[in-house]
Amino acid sequence: MTIEGWSQTLGAGPLLGIAAAAILVLLFLIIKLRMHAFVALILVSLLTAFATGIPAGSVVSTLTDGFGSTLAGVALLVGLGAMLGRLVETSGGAKVLADTLIRRFGEKHAPFALGVASLLFGFPIFFDAGLVVMLPVVFAVARRLGGSVLLYGLPTAGAFSVMHVFVPPHPGPVAAATFFEANVGYVLLIGLIIAIPTWYVTCYLFGKWAGGKWDLPIPSLLGKADEQHEANPPKFGTVVSLLLLPLVLIFINTGLSTLSEAGVLPDGSADTGWFQFLLAIGSTPVALLITLLVAVLAIGIRRGMEKSAVESTLEGALGPVASVILITGAGGMFGGVLRTSGIGDALETSLTGLGIPLILAGFLISTIIRVAQGSATVALTTTAGLLSSAVIAADLNELQLASMVIAVAAGSVIASHVNDSGFWLVGRFFDMDVKTTLKTWTVLESLIAIMAFALAAVVYVLASIG
């Protein structure tokens, strides 16, 4: 958000100090004083807005804009996803998937199998949407086998994260590729080569370690199937088809968008009615709505559930996720205040002439903007735009350009913390307090960033030699 007629007069130093103080106050309120995260985020966002000099008349609109823009992307998704998840869980569908998964891969490899499935699902589907759809399966496997939810949840959430941040057709790497004039095909290839081993080390292996260290119970967020439904569950193929349906619909959207931007489709195709219709049904909220309606028929009404029972099942899904939605929106509010205050802009100005290697500069600038204001997308696109002229002037080859995209993307995912709405989403879904979320999810995201950057730097150097 920009405020007409106002510009930031504070320098990078004071702004960074205010941001750091705001984060420390927020952690103190939540961890030490046990203030509810929703209230604490609103309070700190308000104080930060005043401290950074945002005009008093624009403070409330800044808060509500940050809150509303985050909810626009999260509320429909989480609400519809939670309804779908509860229906799959309470019908016995999640148990069928869990039993089949364990039977085919073995109990020992269940976390690995969940992660691999999430990598595949994560190719076209966004991080938060994929996580919501996979949660009932994760919880069902965890209940069946026992152990900490982190053992199963972190490999799954981490898989969606690495695919979302590194692999086209997700918007972040596509936008960076556009800024750097990189070939999207090379970005896809290098992104996959880096994302898969990064997931294995930083998500799967770390998830196994974290699951042994923090024994967290399985959340009851999505409810449990009763004995009657567990004894007469839906067919395996039906449940898999339901999980694949949003994947296919969203892939139509992302695939068509990518083809259009790459100029593969005939001129004028993007303006036709059929193209816009397919984009609409492939948008995440609409795809989840369609899937939910199909699920109501396929594993609800057609299997003998009373309409009133279906209604109460869906209604029961919204109460537990209300806190998730509100806290995530408040996290977006805090990040929005930090962005509006101009912290990212001030940091950009102070970091442009450091005289360090281009790929390292991309990673560092993206890292600092990410840590300062929370949004991975803002960090990635801002850094790519900032460095685009230098990257194009450097006359890099295709592998080097793809490596630059991955390096900037790596910086944009590091250190997910209290100003990142995704931090609250994961923490609340796994029923973790702030301290535990910092020790697990924040560390995992930082490990992803560091390893991915290291691999991208290796590819960059080898490509320059070749």
Side-chain angles (χ1 to χ4, degrees):
M1 175 183 175
T2 56
I3 300 174
E4 187 176 353
W6 175 78
S7 60
Q8 181 58 261
T9 57
L10 297 175
L15 285 173
L16 187 58
I18 292 170
I23 292 167
L24 290 175
V25 169
L26 182 60
L27 293 175
F28 177 77
L29 292 175
I30 295 172
I31 296 174
K32 293 296 184 182
L33 300 186
R34 309 299 297 175
M35 182 180 288
H36 193 280
F38 180 59
V39 178
L41 281 163
I42 296 174
L43 175 60
V44 172
S45 297
L46 180 65
L47 296 175
T48 304
F50 283 119
T52 53
I54 293 175
S58 300
V59 166
V60 174
S61 61
T62 300
L63 299 183
T64 55
D65 283 351
F67 186 74
S69 62
T70 303
L71 288 189
V74 170
L76 287 175
L77 187 152
V78 173
L80 292 170
M83 287 179 166
L84 175 62
R86 180 167 284 245
L87 195 58
V88 171
E89 176 70 62
T90 56
S91 69
K95 184 177 183 299
V96 168
L97 287 177
D99 291 343
T100 304
L101 200 64
I102 293 166
R103 186 167 59 251
R104 294 185 179 179
F105 290 91
E107 295 184 6
K108 183 179 180 181
H109 300 295
F112 180 81
L114 284 169
V116 171
S118 299
L119 286 171
L120 295 174
F121 277 10
F123 183 73
I125 199 168
F126 286 6
F127 165 76
D128 38 13
L131 182 60
V132 170
V133 170
M134 279 296 290
L135 275 179
V137 184
V138 172
F139 293 166
V141 171
R143 285 195 191 96
R144 166 76 183 276
L145 298 181
S148 172
V149 68
L150 296 178
L151 176 63
Y152 311 94
L154 290 182
T156 299
F160 286 114
S161 180
V162 297
M163 295 299 285
H164 183 76
V165 75
F166 296 128
V167 180
H170 290 286
V174 170
T178 302
F179 275 116
F180 293 162
E181 297 185 2
N183 185 299
V184 175
Y186 278 97
V187 175
L188 174 62
L189 176 64
I190 299 302
L192 285 172
I193 290 173
I194 290 175
I196 292 172
T198 297
W199 167 81
Y200 183 81
V201 173
T202 65
C203 304
Y204 173 62
L205 294 182
F206 177 76
K208 290 181 67 176
W209 175 82
K213 185 173 179 61
W214 290 281
D215 186 14
L216 300 182
I218 313 305
S220 57
L221 186 74
L222 301 178
K224 294 177 65 175
D226 57 29
E227 293 182 1
Q228 178 184 350
H229 287 111
E230 286 192 351
N232 182 32
K235 294 180 180 179
F236 172 77
T238 301
V239 182
V240 170
S241 298
L242 284 174
L243 294 184
L244 289 176
L245 179 56
L247 183 79
V248 172
L249 292 174
I250 293 170
F251 184 75
I252 291 173
N253 179 294
T254 54
L256 286 176
S257 297
T258 301
L259 291 174
S260 177
E261 292 172 4
V264 175
L265 297 178
D267 291 340
S269 296
D271 298 324
T272 61
W274 67 266
F275 187 93
Q276 296 300 324
F277 174 76
L278 291 175
L279 288 184
I281 66 172
S283 63
T284 302
V286 176
L288 285 176
L289 175 62
I290 292 171
T291 304
L292 176 62
L293 295 175
V294 173
V296 167
L297 293 174
I299 63 177
I301 295 174
R302 288 188 60 184
R303 296 183 61 253
M305 285 184 70
E306 296 289 337
K307 294 178 182 178
S308 58
V310 173
E311 181 187 11
S312 63
T313 297
L314 300 185
E315 173 67 24
L318 295 180
V321 300
S323 177
V324 175
I325 294 171
L326 289 175
I327 292 173
T328 302
M333 174 193 295
F334 183 41
V337 168
L338 294 178
R339 287 190 291 277
T340 302
S341 69
I343 288 173
D345 295 336
L347 287 170
E348 290 170 28
T349 303
S350 62
L351 289 170
T352 49
L354 293 179
I356 58 178
L358 198 57
I359 191 167
L360 179 58
F363 175 72
L364 291 178
I365 294 172
S366 184
T367 291
I368 294 174
I369 296 175
R370 155 70 163 182
V371 172
Q373 52 77 47
S375 170
T377 302
V378 170
L380 196 159
T381 54
T382 299
T383 304
L386 178 68
L387 293 178
S388 58
S389 298
V391 169
I392 294 170
D395 195 25
L396 304 177
N397 60 44
E398 293 292 356
L399 288 177
Q400 288 177 302
L401 288 172
S403 302
M404 278 295 305
V405 171
I406 302 303
V408 173
S412 76
V413 79
I414 200 168
S416 171
H417 65 100
V418 292
N419 62 357
D420 175 22
S421 59
F423 173 90
W424 299 103
L425 197 67
V426 171
R428 295 295 150 171
F429 271 140
F430 292 158
D431 201 17
M432 294 187 288
D433 59 24
V434 171
K435 188 182 296 185
T436 306
T437 310
L438 287 168
K439 292 178 180 178
T440 55
W441 181 246
T442 303
V443 172
L444 181 145
E445 291 280 83
S446 299
L447 292 174
I448 288 174
I450 293 168
M451 180 170 175
F453 170 69
L455 293 176
V458 169
V459 174
Y460 184 90
V461 171
L462 292 176
S464 66
I465 296 173

